[in-house]
Amino acid sequence: DIQMTQSPSSLSASVGDRVTITCRASQGISNSLAWYQQKPGKAPKLLLYAASRLESGVPSRFSGSGSGTDYTLTISSLQPEDFATYYCQQYYRTPLTFGGGTTVEIK
Amino acid sequence: EVQLVESGGGLVQPGGSLRLSCAASGFTFNNYAVSWVRQAPGKGLEWVSALSGSGGSTYYADSVRGRFTISRDNSKNTLYLQMSSLRAEDTAVYYCAKFSIAGNYYYYMDVWGKGTTVTVSS
């Protein structure tokens, strides 16, 4: 199985901050990576796929980049509604696997 | 509106069984593979099982293989997860999710239900 490691596991940030979350795969996944946002008590929401493609309706302050084994999710200017937990997921090979999550908290 | 609505969760004793359902609407159900993803209390996401649009191809996580059975009734636009020999570690919110790309592709999931809670405890 492909292991997905996210860092940090949590971070504190202020509204307006630029935030970067990292996801590392245990082997190359050829940009077959999605990012999800989950708020407490809610279902995950797809943000990006193919490492950098924005899902319809997702604000442009979210962006993704990376290649090979290393990928990042960036929020260019953190908004109050962005405080949540973020997960990466690889779909290069089954079983699909998720990272452990990164919780973005209010500083 | 594309929608998935889960039902069937509840409290069950260890060793017991439960069947989850997921009613789909707003899209051509049999064109898409669908999946169950679970989340234990305070934990991350775990892909549990998936099924192709035709129902001919299935996937199970090692943790549930042999105990859980995924199925679908395309005439009713409904996905099922039959769970048996339940263990305490199966306690979780179970989400139904649709894969984004039509066909038998297990890629990323663009529509999720709100989840149904399964608690395995005596």
Side-chain angles (χ1 to χ4, degrees):
Chain A
D1 299 2
I2 298 176
Q3 307 303 317
M4 306 300 292
T5 303
Q6 279 183 243
S7 60
S9 57
S10 66
L11 64 90
S12 296
S14 300
V15 172
D17 284 354
R18 181 182 182 89
V19 169
T20 299
I21 297 167
T22 297
C23 182
R24 172 166 289 176
S26 59
Q27 66 181 79
I29 57 172
S30 297
N31 288 1
S32 299
L33 186 89
W35 289 97
Y36 300 88
Q37 176 193 66
Q38 186 180 33
K39 296 181 179 179
K42 301 294 186 181
K45 173 188 174 183
L46 178 67
L47 296 177
L48 297 105
Y49 60 94
S52 61
R53 296 191 178 186
L54 208 59
E55 173 70 348
S56 176
V58 173
S60 59
R61 62 181 180 275
F62 291 93
S63 64
S65 64
S67 63
T69 60
D70 295 330
Y71 298 86
T72 60
L73 170 69
T74 299
I75 309 172
S76 60
S77 177
L78 198 64
Q79 297 301 300
E81 60 267 30
D82 300 337
F83 291 94
T85 300
Y86 294 85
Y87 294 93
C88 60
Q89 176 232 316
Q90 67 79 22
Y91 52 93
Y92 181 71
R93 181 166 292 154
T94 55
L96 306 183
T97 46
F98 293 89
T102 297
T103 300
V104 177
E105 300 169 325
I106 301 172
K107 182 183 278 186
Chain B
E1 179 192 5
V2 178
Q3 197 172 10
L4 298 169
V5 179
E6 302 94 337
S7 60
L11 174 63
V12 60
Q13 291 188 339
S17 298
L18 208 58
R19 189 177 83 157
L20 306 184
S21 299
C22 171
S25 59
F27 65 101
T28 306
F29 184 63
N30 61 7
N31 281 358
Y32 293 86
V34 282
S35 183
W36 291 98
V37 177
R38 69 183 180 183
Q39 186 169 37
K43 302 297 184 183
L45 301 168
E46 179 188 15
W47 191 46
V48 171
S49 186
L51 182 60
S52 62
S54 64
S57 173
T58 59
Y59 169 80
Y60 296 98
D62 287 345
S63 57
V64 307
R65 187 174 293 117
R67 301 188 298 122
F68 290 11
T69 302
I70 191 171
S71 62
R72 64 194 295 163
D73 184 338
N74 287 338
S75 68
K76 296 182 178 179
N77 287 352
T78 301
L79 175 69
Y80 302 100
L81 186 67
Q82 178 68 47
M83 304 184 296
S84 60
S85 302
L86 283 162
R87 307 166 180 167
E89 54 264 36
D90 295 318
T91 295
V93 175
Y94 285 73
Y95 295 103
C96 168
K98 163 191 166 290
F99 286 97
S100 180
I101 299 176
N104 297 331
Y105 300 107
Y106 300 159
Y107 287 173
Y108 47 92
M109 293 158 275
D110 64 342
V111 180
W112 296 64
K114 293 183 178 181
T116 188
T117 300
V118 173
T119 303
V120 184
S121 175
S122 55

